[in-house]
Amino acid sequence: MRTIGITTLLMATIILTGCTEQESALDLKVRPILFDGYHYEPDQQSMQLDETEQIAVHTICDDTGAIFLPNSTFVYDGTYRSFSRFSSDVASPLTSMTVFHDDEATYAYCQTDASQYMKQIDPERFSIARRETAAEPIRPRSLSRSDEVHQAVKSNLEDDLFFEVMPFTSPFVTLHSPLFASLALEVKTQDSSTTSFHPFDPNMKTMTLSLYLVKMDGVVQPLLIQSSENNMAYGSLDSVPDGGIPTLSTVYPLPDELQFGNMYPLWELTYDVNGETVKQTVSLSYEPPVMMTQSEVDAATTEEVEEATIGYFHKTSLSGKTELHHLDAIQTTTADGETLKQMLQRAERVNRNGEAAAYPLFTLAEGVKSQTFDVTLHERSKKTDVYVTTKGNHYKLSSEDSATWLSLAPY
């Protein structure tokens, strides 16, 4: 009898322990309802990330495991970007994951606000469309421009009604980067120099640089145009004071393969400034992607500001393209969000709920993790009880916490 009693007691303890682990109402997990994202592949339109992809991007890049990239040639598979659709106060930095492979393994280059690193990944964790194409080195290259690119740029410029453009003689440069890098463009005269940086995403495949003259309000300036398969951007070069109309004096050829960190001149412009010849050189260089070691990632993560906890009281369920705005959602401060989180942790499991509140839904967000609750109230003679429901289970806040919740909620 004593043996049976001890066994029964142990079983009861195990059962009670198992229940206790599931009693907390709080269960913050990576849920994509507060985020949006896109998937890019060569020669395809960008595609919106589905829920599985959203979760995979964050969970894969959360689990660091930084490695050194092997000296190999690679095939680019795709880029996945996830970002917050709502308040910038939510600590949900842009997370970008570029996936590529060689003959041996599949890799990801993860970029967040705090770190950038390479890692080897298990393709079974993610439905990656593995492309079968020629592997290429990570180094960028220059290519011969095609007539199609030239005509596309010319057509786009002719459709622009804001200014008049005049081309130089064939100043086209087409660049190819099989993976990722940062393109630096330097504009330099005898006494000044400016440099601008432009990310070169692998899904762009190529970038074509072309130089035109633009006439605006009677002033003629050189116009640098960057065009890819998906878009075109342009901006005037820094002008030379009283320089008049520049002429293209030199076009420098680029080598087929470019080295990271080297500066390559493209064009030299000549101005007549008060009877003196002033030269302006446009050059480019490629900066390699930042590759952090595991210790550097750990240090950056430690130094990173703790993720803010934000609460949303809202009327509309979050799904698909739902947009929160001031008409049907109220956002808390980070301090109040943390207070509400602690209340949810203390809430006790019960078998009933109350009546729907004016804002019947509450979402707690912490970085890329979130959880949504149904909120109900039960009014009594001297106080109001607050209930939250998640996964079909009801939880009741204490009298003190109910009063605090009601002071923070828009009821």
Side-chain angles (χ1 to χ4, degrees):
M1 292 296 292
R2 186 173 180 179
T3 303
I4 295 175
I6 293 174
T7 303
T8 303
L9 180 61
L10 287 172
M11 290 179 64
T13 302
I14 292 170
I15 293 170
L16 288 172
T17 303
C19 291
T20 302
E21 291 176 352
Q22 300 175 13
E23 283 302 305
S24 175
L26 196 65
D27 184 29
L28 288 171
K29 291 183 178 180
V30 175
R31 294 184 172 98
I33 56 174
L34 295 180
F35 304 90
D36 207 344
Y38 292 90
H39 170 198
Y40 307 87
E41 288 185 24
D43 301 320
Q44 291 190 23
Q45 295 291 326
S46 61
M47 296 163 283
Q48 193 164 12
L49 295 184
D50 60 29
E51 182 171 327
T52 302
E53 290 173 325
Q54 281 275 26
I55 293 173
V57 167
H58 291 288
T59 52
I60 288 175
C61 286
D62 250 4
D63 180 19
T64 312
I67 64 168
F68 289 105
L69 195 65
N71 184 17
S72 178
T73 54
F74 303 98
V75 175
Y76 163 65
D77 294 313
T79 297
Y80 304 79
R81 289 201 174 101
S82 176
F83 51 87
S84 171
R85 290 198 285 120
F86 302 109
S87 169
S88 58
D89 292 337
V90 178
S92 57
L94 168 70
T95 298
S96 178
M97 182 175 75
T98 298
V99 180
F100 53 102
H101 70 269
D102 58 13
D103 291 336
E104 302 297 327
T106 301
Y107 306 91
Y109 176 54
C110 290
Q111 295 171 278
T112 70
D113 284 356
S115 58
Q116 303 86 37
Y117 57 88
M118 292 290 182
K119 65 179 298 183
Q120 185 175 330
I121 65 174
D122 180 0
E124 297 298 323
R125 290 184 59 188
F126 194 32
S127 56
I128 301 168
R130 192 180 177 93
R131 296 174 61 239
E132 298 299 332
T133 186
E136 300 181 49
I138 197 171
R139 293 181 297 277
R141 296 175 290 117
S142 64
L143 304 170
S144 300
R145 70 173 178 86
S146 66
D147 291 335
E148 290 79 4
V149 172
H150 191 178
Q151 290 302 318
V153 173
K154 183 179 179 181
S155 176
N156 287 333
L157 289 174
E158 289 174 349
D159 292 339
D160 199 313
L161 304 178
F162 293 101
F163 46 74
E164 178 186 355
V165 294
M166 300 163 282
F168 280 120
T169 305
S170 303
F172 275 70
V173 174
T174 299
L175 306 169
H176 178 275
S177 179
L179 281 178
F180 31 72
S182 179
L183 174 66
L185 290 172
E186 180 192 69
V187 181
K188 186 176 183 180
T189 60
Q190 287 94 324
D191 55 0
S192 66
S193 176
T194 60
T195 303
S196 58
F197 294 91
H198 310 270
F200 197 140
D201 292 329
N203 56 285
M204 292 171 61
K205 291 182 62 178
T206 63
M207 177 190 291
T208 295
L209 303 178
S210 51
L211 201 60
Y212 282 74
L213 290 180
V214 57
K215 186 175 183 180
M216 298 179 64
D217 301 326
V219 178
V220 177
Q221 287 184 326
L223 182 74
L224 180 64
I225 297 175
Q226 304 169 53
S227 55
S228 65
E229 290 80 1
N230 302 321
N231 54 55
M232 186 172 75
Y234 43 76
S236 59
L237 301 183
D238 289 348
S239 58
V240 177
D242 303 322
I245 299 176
T247 58
L248 182 64
S249 56
T250 307
V251 176
Y252 296 96
L254 283 178
D256 292 338
E257 189 170 286
L258 309 179
Q259 301 297 322
F260 284 120
N262 287 0
M263 187 67 71
Y264 298 93
L266 298 177
W267 308 299
E268 183 179 82
L269 308 179
T270 302
Y271 299 78
D272 183 0
V273 180
N274 298 324
E276 295 185 8
T277 299
V278 176
K279 295 181 180 181
Q280 186 181 51
T281 305
V282 181
S283 306
L284 68 80
S285 68
Y286 271 96
E287 300 302 322
V290 176
M291 306 286 189
M292 298 173 71
T293 64
Q294 185 63 59
S295 59
E296 290 172 330
V297 173
D298 292 341
T301 303
T302 301
E303 294 171 2
E304 189 179 10
V305 177
E306 186 177 352
E307 290 179 324
T309 303
I310 302 292
Y312 293 98
F313 296 95
H314 53 105
K315 297 179 180 179
T316 305
S317 297
L318 302 180
S319 62
K321 299 297 286 184
T322 299
E323 293 293 342
L324 287 174
H325 52 81
H326 68 281
L327 294 179
D328 66 4
I330 303 296
Q331 178 186 319
T332 72
T333 64
T334 54
D336 289 344
E338 182 60 37
T339 298
L340 291 161
K341 176 184 175 181
Q342 293 172 9
M343 293 183 200
L344 293 169
Q345 288 174 320
R346 291 192 293 262
E348 295 183 359
R349 175 79 174 271
V350 295
N351 293 322
R352 61 155 296 177
N353 60 354
E355 294 72 50
Y359 284 75
L361 298 168
F362 175 75
T363 294
L364 193 71
E366 194 171 76
V368 298
K369 298 179 179 180
S370 65
Q371 186 178 2
T372 297
F373 301 85
D374 294 306
V375 182
T376 55
L377 309 176
H378 179 64
E379 294 185 11
R380 294 200 273 175
S381 59
K382 294 184 179 181
K383 64 178 181 178
T384 300
D385 296 326
V386 176
Y387 297 85
V388 294
T389 300
T390 178
K391 296 182 179 179
N393 298 323
H394 308 304
Y395 299 84
K396 180 183 177 182
L397 274 60
S398 68
S399 296
E400 183 180 348
D401 283 349
S402 290
T404 305
W405 182 287
L406 292 170
S407 71
L408 300 176
Y411 313 143

